[in-house]
Amino acid sequence: MHAPGLFLPVPAGRKAQFSDAAGGSFLVRSMTGYGRGEAIVNDCHVVVELRAVNHRYQEVVFRLPRVLAPLEERLRRLVRERVLRGRVEGVLSVGAGGRRIQQVRVEPALAEAYYRGIQELKGLLQLNGRVGLEHLIALPGVLSLEEEADVEAWWPAAERAANLALDSLVAAKEAEGARLAEDIGRRIRHVGRLGEEIALRAPAVVEEYRARLTRRLKEWLDGGVIDDNRLAAEVAIFAERCDVTEETVRLQSHVTQFLAAMEAQGPVGRQLDFLLQEMLREVNTVGAKAGDLEIRRAVLLAKGELERIREQVQNIE
């Protein structure tokens, strides 16, 4: 929708290239999302949670039990294969039930040594009293909790849980990406239409300048003869100074490339960001050259749309 006062219609019989109906199915993915996976393989119960946030590059970090630390690089590799941009924070935890990675270690020889020592003290100090199990297990080292696990036995469950979490994460990123793409696509087509309207308006600006200059010369000369050659030269200088043909052609090309990139496979966030920078440069140049109110209004609308798109593109993988 155009702002009030901006009347740059596409001529009858000419269809705008960047209509709202144009374009295909966009495939962009958001950089944010959450995924969870849970698996039990050979009595090993594993839960993997993944959280993805915006980041300029690809970064994957994992937190997992110390005894399973050797699996960290394998898990990071799985994530890097499917998430190509952004920061992903992963947590692997051992689920309830099934095989445990914490074991109770018992030192019977140490308990026996404690018992003999206590009995010897009782005799030396002539003390009474019974030495029970509750006394022995409270002594340091008799019972200890330690982590012990066969890493390879845990890997199948960890791999399956991680892949399930990635499935969930990617689905969330694609769903959010679809919502972003719908809004971005609408806005970028609006920019394309504004570029078309500027291109259509530009020749009229020169003709209006010619008519305005002719009218003023007639007033100044008060019926005198206008020098057509001098008039043509002045109009040519004005036309050269405010010519925006190159800028509008490049703008339309960038919009077409932008729409094509959104339909391509793979990470496109950086490419879209670059194209937006180029479009802003062309629009700013048009604004600097144009001496026409209607074109300047179109430029302001285009800049507003491009800035909003740029904010959203920061969240695209």
Side-chain angles (χ1 to χ4, degrees):
M1 181 178 296
H2 303 314
L6 180 61
F7 302 103
L8 300 175
V10 177
R14 181 179 182 275
K15 183 178 179 182
Q17 179 182 355
F18 300 105
S19 66
D20 285 330
S25 175
F26 296 140
L27 304 174
V28 300
R29 295 197 314 196
S30 166
M31 276 197 284
T32 58
Y34 170 82
R36 184 180 186 276
E38 185 173 354
I40 302 176
V41 179
N42 297 328
D43 204 30
C44 295
H45 185 190
V46 171
V47 177
V48 173
E49 293 180 277
L50 300 173
R51 290 177 175 82
V53 296
N54 289 10
H55 196 274
R56 189 174 181 182
Y57 304 106
Q58 182 195 59
E59 182 178 359
V60 182
V61 294
F62 254 98
R63 297 199 311 271
L64 61 169
R66 180 184 58 81
V67 71
L68 296 180
L71 300 181
E72 180 177 0
E73 184 53 37
R74 300 189 205 179
L75 293 168
R76 292 174 61 194
R77 189 159 50 245
L78 284 178
V79 174
R80 285 197 298 263
E81 288 174 354
R82 298 181 62 183
V83 179
L84 304 177
R85 188 169 178 238
R87 176 182 171 88
V88 179
E89 300 173 354
V91 177
L92 182 148
S93 56
V94 176
R99 186 182 305 188
R100 308 298 298 172
I101 63 173
Q102 291 182 324
Q103 305 293 334
V104 176
R105 184 178 182 88
V106 181
E107 295 290 350
L110 181 59
E112 184 179 357
Y114 275 130
Y115 182 79
R116 288 198 305 267
I118 293 170
Q119 293 293 1
E120 184 178 347
L121 282 173
K122 285 176 60 179
L124 289 172
L125 301 176
Q126 297 181 355
L127 299 173
N128 295 321
R130 181 184 63 86
V131 180
L133 178 62
E134 67 275 14
H135 302 110
L136 291 175
I137 63 174
L139 295 170
V142 175
L143 294 181
S144 60
L145 191 64
E146 61 181 28
E147 292 183 338
E148 182 177 296
D150 179 359
V151 171
E152 294 304 323
W154 282 86
W155 172 242
E159 182 180 30
R160 177 165 175 74
N163 279 321
L164 290 173
L166 280 166
D167 291 340
S168 177
L169 175 65
V170 169
K173 287 160 68 71
E174 289 178 346
E176 177 63 19
R179 288 189 289 269
L180 282 173
E182 181 180 359
D183 185 64
I184 291 173
R186 177 176 57 82
R187 292 183 184 280
I188 199 67
R189 290 193 185 102
H190 186 201
V191 172
R193 292 196 301 275
L194 289 169
E196 291 177 331
E197 293 166 355
I198 290 171
L200 289 171
R201 172 65 182 166
V205 172
V206 177
E207 291 306 315
E208 289 175 6
Y209 175 77
R210 180 194 295 274
R212 190 165 58 250
L213 182 59
T214 301
R215 185 172 61 254
R216 289 179 180 175
L217 286 174
K218 286 181 179 180
E219 292 174 356
W220 293 337
L221 294 173
D222 192 22
V225 179
I226 297 175
D227 186 340
D228 289 337
N229 291 332
R230 182 60 184 274
L231 175 64
E234 290 294 335
V235 172
I237 292 172
F238 176 82
E240 179 68 23
R241 186 168 64 246
C242 67
D243 182 29
V244 294
T245 302
E246 292 185 10
E247 289 78 11
T248 55
V249 169
R250 284 196 293 264
L251 177 63
Q252 304 298 62
S253 175
H254 295 326
V255 171
T256 300
Q257 292 178 60
F258 190 99
L259 290 168
M262 290 180 66
E263 296 178 9
Q265 294 283 357
V268 295
R270 292 182 187 176
Q271 181 182 359
L272 297 181
D273 190 52
F274 170 76
L275 288 170
L276 284 171
Q277 292 179 38
E278 294 300 303
M279 282 186 268
L280 278 167
R281 181 179 293 110
E282 303 301 343
V283 168
N284 283 328
T285 303
V286 170
K289 283 186 173 183
D292 178 68
L293 179 60
E294 300 303 323
I295 289 181
R296 285 180 176 173
R297 287 177 178 171
V299 166
L300 289 175
L301 284 174
K303 287 178 67 174
E305 293 285 40
L306 290 171
E307 291 294 349
R308 294 184 189 97
I309 294 169
R310 193 171 187 180
E311 291 175 4
Q312 294 179 323
V313 164
Q314 303 307 310
N315 194 37
I316 289 180
E317 184 177 319

